[in-house]
Amino acid sequence: MDSYRRGKQVDRNNVRARVRAPYRGVLPLIWAIGAVLLLVVSLFVGPDGALAVVFVMHLFFAGIIHLDIKVQRRQGLEWGLWRHLWFGAAVVFPLVALVYYLYSGRKVRAENERRNTGDADTGESEGDVDESDEIDETDE
């Protein structure tokens, strides 16, 4: 047999690093803190204070989403023009941060499965047995 590796042998040795979304986990925390602040400020200060809280929250959301997508793109996860849509929507709409949290988690998980970094099925089921692992009854 020659020494060249073919097919899956090459892919098994070429494992790419996992994609991580470091800022993604902060979004629900900021959303919850912002909701509590919105409630407290609207009760004690009034609608002008509540509007200021909403404005600042949306700036935080947009900034964190921008940073998160930027980090993911550096790791090789392509977002295309959607990155601009997510950033703009986070500035305008209140629930986009939570939707982004779910969507980006799904996107990162799919990319990690595609890269085959141990998060996904390798294509071999548990029932598959390598021929070299089988015990011959005559060996005992």
Side-chain angles (χ1 to χ4, degrees):
M1 180 175 202
D2 58 3
S3 62
Y4 293 107
R5 295 176 297 156
R6 292 185 177 89
K8 291 185 178 181
Q9 289 177 340
V10 175
D11 291 336
R12 286 183 191 147
N13 295 335
N14 188 15
V15 176
R16 293 174 60 186
R18 294 180 50 163
V19 174
R20 299 192 187 277
Y23 301 107
R24 180 179 161 265
V26 178
L27 287 172
L29 179 67
I30 290 178
W31 201 89
I33 291 171
V36 170
L37 280 175
L38 182 65
L39 179 66
V40 169
V41 168
S42 64
L43 290 176
F44 292 111
V45 178
D48 292 336
L51 186 61
V53 168
V54 168
F55 180 72
V56 171
M57 274 179 31
H58 285 281
L59 288 180
F60 271 113
F61 292 150
I64 289 173
I65 288 173
H66 174 71
L67 286 174
D68 197 45
I69 291 174
K70 189 175 179 180
V71 168
Q72 290 175 25
R73 289 184 70 214
R74 285 185 186 154
Q75 297 174 26
L77 183 64
E78 187 56 43
W79 280 83
L81 294 176
W82 282 96
R83 67 184 186 270
H84 302 297
L85 180 66
W86 281 110
F87 177 76
V91 173
V92 178
F93 300 113
L95 296 176
V96 168
L98 296 177
V99 173
Y100 170 80
Y101 176 80
L102 297 173
Y103 177 75
S104 67
R106 200 175 79 196
K107 188 168 178 94
V108 167
R109 192 175 319 108
E111 178 66 17
N112 285 335
E113 287 176 1
R114 188 186 70 77
R115 289 184 180 190
N116 197 15
T117 59
D119 293 341
D121 187 20
T122 59
E124 298 176 0
S125 66
E126 293 176 11
D128 294 343
V129 177
D130 190 13
E131 293 174 5
S132 62
D133 292 340
E134 291 180 4
I135 299 174
D136 191 12
E137 295 164 357
T138 60
D139 291 341
E140 294 177 6

